[in-house]
Amino acid sequence: MNEPAASPILRASGLSIHFGALRAVDDVSFDVPRGGITSIIGPNGAGKSTLFNLLSGSLKPSAGAVRFDGTDITALPPARRLRRGLARSFQITNLFFELPVRENLRLACQYYEPRVKLWLPVARNTRAADRTEQLLESFGLGKRAATPAGALSHGEQRRLEIAVTLASQPKLLLLDEPTQGMSHGDTADTEKLIAALARDTTVLLIEHDVDLVMGLSNRVIVMAQGRKLTEGTPAQVRGNAEVQAAYFGDKP
Amino acid sequence: MADAAGRVIRRTEYILLAATAILFVVGLMAGDTFFFRLATESLIFGGLALAVDLLLGIVGLLSLGQALYFGFGAYVSALLLKEVAPSFWLATGAVLAASAVVGYLSSFIALRSKGVYFALITFGLAQVAAKTVYNTRELGASDGIIGIPIVVIGTPFGGLDTANAPVFFLVTLGVIALLYGLTKYLLATPMGGIWHAVRANEARLPFIGFDTLGPKRAAFTLAAMIAAVSGALYPMLRGFVSPELLYFSTSGNAVVTVVLGGVGTLIGPLFGSALLTGLRSVIGTWTEHHQILIGLIFVAVVVLAPRGIVGIAIERAKRRAGEQI
């Protein structure tokens, strides 16, 4: 199963999903190379989040296939995809709001432990516990560990969302608008964080903030109305007339 | 679970235990049988409420048909005691095993849906079972099964006579305490964490690597077993079983008990059961319409203290400790 390192970590081929007459994602193909940051941009309704749902297993495509790390994962449910190393965050914060911050992370780290330990006291799961403390520390949430996730500030919740997604040490991290609703300061911090994450793993990013995308990404995929418009380096994409028309709103 | 909540639950356990010990001594001195039988009944229905709380308070599944498993345990136990051998170990052991199978199999039906539909399916399953029992002559139909022999529990230290009210009270206390302890243990495992997480945000769990159906099935099966083992004790106390044990009134009373005691606290339901059984008995001496008063109390609790008695205590303790609720 070992593919050469140059092979893409993720390959979408001919992905489509139709809701009635609406072609939310229509015949989209692309590769995500290993390492670095690949971004998907596009105006509202371009099908970016739907595409993420297809990649992470929330939705089953009407047609097309997803290969991850050399294996066809089109039919796998989300939990199995995660266990293979594909993790995603959510645009709308999606946490265990009633549970403390530490428990949110501990649950996400439980993945490291053998299944039988699910039935043994939590204290026996030392690897998950260590990783939890590590994440609390590195995401600056240590002081908030006992607070229910629902009582955190918006910025803290967004950070926890990424920390929970990162807990499984994924090979590919899908980040769905991580800076959504953040202040300028928080956005700058998150930008640094994403750049740091990309040193250890591959990042596929959906982002509204075009400046942030252009500054961070190695590759950019542009979507409009469910289709892939173009892809390339940030410079190539910026120079593309179609993109100018569809996304930046300029008349060609 | 947060520290303040843990402390309140611990304290409630001590209070219940101390009250039990005091009342036990008082009852012994008074030589009163009725009182012990009433306390035993409250424990048995407390076990049923515990099962409902595991599903409702921890996993977030409202079962309106937990009486199905309670009645199943009671009938299996009654039949074995009467037809096979009056053995406590045979009856409880067989009920434990059989309810694991029945609970697991019915989870495939009940867990096909969520929310209100789950509640309706559990309700429907229990109704079907109740009507079936009611119409089956071999199971005594509407009369139930009567004439269950007195059981002497064989132990290495000699026989325990279940006809002796204080003795059987202690036996029941032991069984319910075991069920409670087991449930509490499981809540402190990662599986317990996943159960809490299902209630908090089921949709997120697959994205941290956990399928939710498996853990829900495990909880459902466990709740069936807890209800059934509690039910298995019923014919030993009463000497008979009847289809009423499977009726909605039994399931509904268990839900009322859980809400009154404190949803998701586990000890609350046992507390609530003691309270409600006591109330029903006291009010029952004045009027036959005690359900009306119980209903009014339930409405008052839901409106004034939706978290129940133990829930209020936890809320207060958290506020005092400066924890967020």
Side-chain angles (χ1 to χ4, degrees):
Chain A
M1 278 312 233
N2 271 346
E3 304 226 341
S7 76
I9 181 90
L10 185 100
R11 165 167 290 171
S13 24
L15 273 186
S16 303
I17 189 165
H18 306 160
F19 303 110
L22 174 72
R23 292 163 177 266
V25 172
D26 192 12
D27 195 21
V28 171
S29 302
F30 62 90
D31 284 355
V32 178
R34 277 170 208 272
I37 300 173
T38 302
S39 295
I40 302 174
I41 60 171
N44 277 330
K48 305 184 297 289
S49 283
T50 310
L51 180 64
F52 252 36
N53 287 338
L54 291 172
L55 298 179
S56 63
S58 306
L59 292 171
K60 293 265 176 283
S62 315
V66 184
R67 282 180 83 76
F68 176 69
D69 209 12
T71 323
D72 188 337
I73 59 164
T74 317
L76 290 187
R80 299 271 298 277
R81 293 185 197 213
L82 184 109
R83 283 170 184 270
R84 283 176 179 270
L86 191 158
R88 73 164 293 179
S89 74
F90 289 83
Q91 180 187 358
I92 296 161
T93 309
N94 195 352
L95 295 162
F96 304 105
F97 293 105
E98 295 168 28
L99 306 183
V101 170
R102 178 178 274 121
E103 181 64 5
N104 270 268
L105 287 168
R106 200 198 58 71
L107 280 163
C109 292
Q110 189 63 35
Y111 156 86
Y112 290 102
E113 302 282 356
R115 289 220 153 218
V116 56
K117 285 203 174 179
L118 284 176
W119 300 95
L120 298 174
V122 164
R124 297 277 288 275
N125 293 263
T126 46
R127 283 165 72 195
D130 291 348
R131 178 91 180 121
T132 303
E133 296 311 311
Q134 213 180 314
L135 283 166
L136 280 173
E137 179 79 14
S138 58
F139 279 82
L141 291 164
K143 280 188 187 142
R144 307 289 264 158
T147 310
L152 296 179
S153 74
H154 181 76
E156 286 171 325
Q157 285 186 355
R158 294 307 294 166
R159 242 186 298 155
L160 180 57
E161 173 80 34
I162 296 177
V164 164
T165 308
L166 209 60
S168 62
Q169 292 185 307
K171 293 179 197 159
L172 173 64
L173 188 60
L174 309 182
L175 295 176
D176 194 351
E177 296 204 27
T179 64
Q180 136 93 16
M182 275 191 180
S183 67
H184 274 294
D186 283 344
T187 303
D189 287 345
T190 307
E191 190 174 348
K192 274 184 220 139
L193 174 68
I194 296 169
L197 293 178
R199 283 199 284 272
D200 304 319
T201 182
T202 309
V203 176
L204 181 63
L205 177 69
I206 291 181
E207 188 48 71
H208 243 76
D209 187 332
V210 179
D211 291 334
L212 183 137
V213 166
M214 293 304 179
L216 270 178
S217 312
N218 304 86
R219 281 191 81 72
V220 178
I221 296 164
V222 186
M223 287 187 70
Q225 291 170 335
R227 305 187 66 99
K228 186 177 86 175
L229 209 57
T230 183
E231 66 175 308
T233 63
Q236 288 168 336
V237 165
R238 224 185 248 285
N240 185 304
E242 266 187 290
V243 177
Q244 295 284 335
Y247 195 63
F248 300 104
D250 298 359
K251 296 270 181 277
Chain B
M1 196 168 277
D3 289 341
R7 277 199 305 277
V8 170
I9 287 171
R10 192 27 61 91
R11 207 176 305 145
T12 313
E13 288 168 359
Y14 289 147
I15 292 171
L16 272 182
L17 212 57
T20 308
I22 292 167
L23 290 175
F24 187 81
V25 173
V26 171
L28 271 189
M29 292 196 303
D32 189 277
T33 309
F34 170 77
F35 168 73
F36 279 112
R37 299 205 154 260
L38 195 67
T40 308
E41 193 180 305
S42 103
L43 279 172
I44 289 175
F45 284 102
L48 173 62
L50 180 66
V52 170
D53 195 27
L54 170 62
L55 289 177
L56 176 62
I58 308 300
V59 194
L61 296 165
L62 172 59
S63 166
L64 291 181
Q66 210 57 24
L68 167 56
Y69 308 100
F70 183 79
F72 173 78
Y75 268 81
V76 169
S77 168
L79 280 173
L80 288 172
L81 294 174
K82 195 177 171 189
E83 309 294 341
V84 181
S87 160
F88 173 83
W89 300 110
L90 170 76
T92 48
V95 164
L96 196 65
S99 62
V101 175
V102 169
Y104 184 71
L105 291 180
S106 52
S107 78
F108 281 81
I109 305 170
L111 291 173
R112 290 175 68 92
S113 51
K114 293 173 187 173
V116 135
Y117 298 99
F118 172 84
L120 288 176
I121 289 183
T122 52
F123 170 78
L125 282 176
Q127 287 302 102
V128 169
K131 290 293 168 203
T132 308
V133 170
Y134 189 87
N135 290 312
T136 304
R137 191 172 303 155
E138 289 72 22
L139 294 173
S142 59
D143 295 334
I145 300 170
I146 54 169
I148 288 149
I150 287 164
V151 180
V152 178
I153 306 170
T155 73
F157 319 102
L160 296 171
D161 185 359
T162 58
N164 181 326
V167 168
F168 190 57
F169 170 75
L170 287 180
V171 169
T172 306
L173 183 64
V175 172
I176 300 299
L178 264 178
L179 295 175
Y180 174 77
L182 172 76
T183 312
K184 207 174 164 189
Y185 163 81
L186 287 174
L187 291 195
T189 66
M191 183 51 78
I194 292 173
W195 288 339
H196 279 113
V198 167
R199 198 187 62 163
N201 187 354
E202 184 174 354
R204 181 62 147 119
L205 267 169
F207 299 97
I208 58 169
F210 292 103
D211 174 36
T212 59
L213 196 55
K216 277 160 72 181
R217 257 187 205 138
F220 192 90
T221 308
L222 185 67
M225 291 165 77
I226 293 171
V229 169
S230 308
L233 301 173
Y234 188 86
M236 300 180 201
L237 174 71
R238 284 303 178 88
F240 74 92
V241 292
S242 61
E244 282 82 33
L245 294 178
L246 293 119
Y247 282 3
F248 176 66
S249 57
T250 308
S251 298
N253 271 329
V255 176
V256 171
T257 306
V258 169
V259 173
L260 181 73
V263 179
T265 62
L266 297 189
I267 194 70
L270 297 182
F271 194 43
S273 184
L275 223 60
L276 276 182
T277 312
L279 264 178
R280 223 174 258 134
S281 170
V282 172
I283 300 168
T285 57
W286 307 332
T287 163
E288 273 177 35
H289 306 294
H290 59 277
Q291 286 294 15
I292 296 176
L293 261 166
I294 300 287
L296 288 176
I297 291 169
F298 179 65
V299 170
V301 167
V302 169
V303 171
L304 300 172
R307 287 170 197 246
I309 297 167
V310 177
I312 295 176
I314 289 174
E315 218 169 283
R316 270 214 195 131
K318 278 187 177 174
R319 212 165 276 141
R320 226 177 298 132
E323 281 179 31
Q324 251 131 349
I325 297 163

